[in-house]
Amino acid sequence: MSLLLSLVALLVSLLLFVARRRHGYWQRRGIPHDVPHPLYGNIKDWPKKRHIAKIFRDYYLKYKGSDYPFAGFFFFFTRTAVITNLELVKRVLIKDFNHFENRGVFYNEIDDPLSATVFSIEGQKWRHLRHKLTPTFTSGKMKNMFPIVVKVGEEMEKIFSGKTTSGQGQVLEIVDLVARYTADVIGNCAFGLNCNSLNNPRADFVTIGKRAITDRRYGGMLDFFLFGFPKLSRRLRLKLNVQEVEDFYTKIVRDTIDYRLKTKEKRHDFMDSLIEMYQKEQAGNSEDGLTFNELLAQAFIFFVAGFETSSTTMGFALYELARNQDVQDRLREEITNVLGKHNNEFTYEGIKEMKYLEQVVMETLRKYPVLAHLTRMTETDFSPEDSKYFIAKGTIVVIPALGIHYDSEIYPEPEKFKPERFTEEAIAARPACTWLPFGEGPRNCIGLRFGLMQTCVGLAYLIRGYKFSVAPETQIPMKVVVKSILLSAENGILLRVEKLSK
Ligand code: HEM
């Protein structure tokens, strides 16, 4: 018994020694950092007290301007460098991208095919897949999908029309309504489904889509392991996605492929492009083709990455427009004028002409970058001329986008909503890598154009026909859901919505 106790004591002491040594890394290198908690590292306030992006924002604001271009951080025991210098941001994301190509997140293409998405896979496989998928997102392809987006926009208009009156208007929770619009748009374009969640809020497609974001295979118990040790987790054959989600999407994709191949139907959407690549693979051209599992994972990530990001952006935009009536009026005037020039119809060219709308969306994404911190994994020792910049292989690098967006030296009065920060001249006057809602460089958001298109079309429909204003129920200042990785408003956004006479 006493031998057993001694062994346990020895093991505990050994673990404590290893943990302390690991947490002493930044100290030994003389890099500025906060003293890490023995277990949680510097992430103690997450996921209960503070949003993870706000932790990184505050870290950036605290350490920027120090003698070093980054500050040391521990995500539990994972060695992390939080970048505090714009020159280094540019090097990580663009100039020295070959050192920082991967995100270091979990995926397991054999046991959990849905997890092997272009967002998570690594190295040569990622380069190859990204290259194959890029033509799916050209402006020509966006133009082809535009009519689908407009059709769903019209449906959303009808829903708003049914819920509002002129005069006093109604207080509505708008995030759920616009989420149904983006779910229908992406459901149509990525899976070829008329999922009709606008009219049926409990459509399986949306409820399972939400579960795909929130539910974890092991009820969250192994999150620490999956996120902290992705490679080991893969070797242990762990999975991330729940079986029901996997089965649901596998069936939809299988049925859609079979249907389109049988009927030869062409919709000019994401699914068409993916099926073209699948057919190449079937014909023996694996260089340009996609296997069924590869296709499945990409359709899935297009939905997961494209639906909530755009709907929360629309929600935040409406919240700011409700609080800034002058901006809302000016935006409505632009929308009405441009539509007037285009026969009162929504056209791809017309939306492109709405420059102020674009500025409003850009300023919204500055204040609320939905994915508010970017991550990269250092693949090889990054040892540039200046040793202060040295980052060892295996370190996670965090670009604190929210911190940069709220840096008053870059954006004076950062709390204020000012779309004029995004005129062409104002953008040109700022340094590179100071607006990062879609990331930057070769691994930026592949769906940027599509995300902007669906956000702009949706907002144009709503602002043209409705006035949004603050109600007593509107939560000001807005509270965000602290446990989520994306930024989103706690309990949605309640606004007064009034139908405008035509
Ligand atoms: C307002 C809407 C959107 C926002 C704010 C957004 C934001 C982002 C961000 C911040 C990243 C990481 C970039 C980086 O690390 O440098 C990303 C990656 C990605 N996004 Fe988006 N996104 C949006 C819409 C979309 C849409 C509509 C799609 C697909 C249809 C999409 C698909 C992806 C994919 C596949 C990646 C991973 C790219 C790669 O690793 O090669 N996103 N997005």
Side-chain angles (χ1 to χ4, degrees), residues 149-150 152-164 172-182 198 310-319 321-322 328-329 331-333 335-336 339 346 351 354 357 453-469 493 495-502:
V149 183
V150 168
V152 183
E154 265 166 32
E155 285 298 314
M156 174 176 66
E157 232 268 83
K158 281 188 209 149
I159 301 287
F160 269 81
S161 177
K163 289 189 180 290
T164 51
L172 299 179
E173 197 292 288
I174 47 133
V175 176
D176 178 57
L177 290 172
V178 295
R180 280 149 58 185
Y181 157 76
T182 57
L198 273 165
S310 299
S311 64
T312 40
T313 303
M314 282 176 69
F316 289 136
L318 292 170
Y319 172 79
L321 291 169
Q328 190 179 150
D329 291 343
L331 179 58
R332 187 170 299 110
E333 201 180 312
I335 294 167
T336 321
L339 284 175
F346 278 81
I351 289 289
M354 297 178 189
L357 173 59
M453 177 170 85
Q454 68 170 343
T455 304
C456 287
V457 170
L459 285 176
Y461 263 108
L462 293 179
I463 296 300
R464 177 180 69 161
Y466 303 86
K467 178 179 167 170
F468 292 82
S469 54
I493 299 176
L495 295 177
R496 182 172 298 288
V497 189
E498 186 187 318
K499 194 185 286 185
L500 297 170
S501 44
K502 293 213 168 126

Side-chain angles (χ1 to χ4, degrees), residues 82-97:
V82 179
I83 312 291
T84 52
N85 164 294
L86 287 181
E87 196 44 46
L88 187 55
V89 171
K90 202 155 72 181
R91 292 187 73 163
V92 168
L93 294 177
I94 307 169
K95 282 198 205 154
D96 293 307
F97 176 73

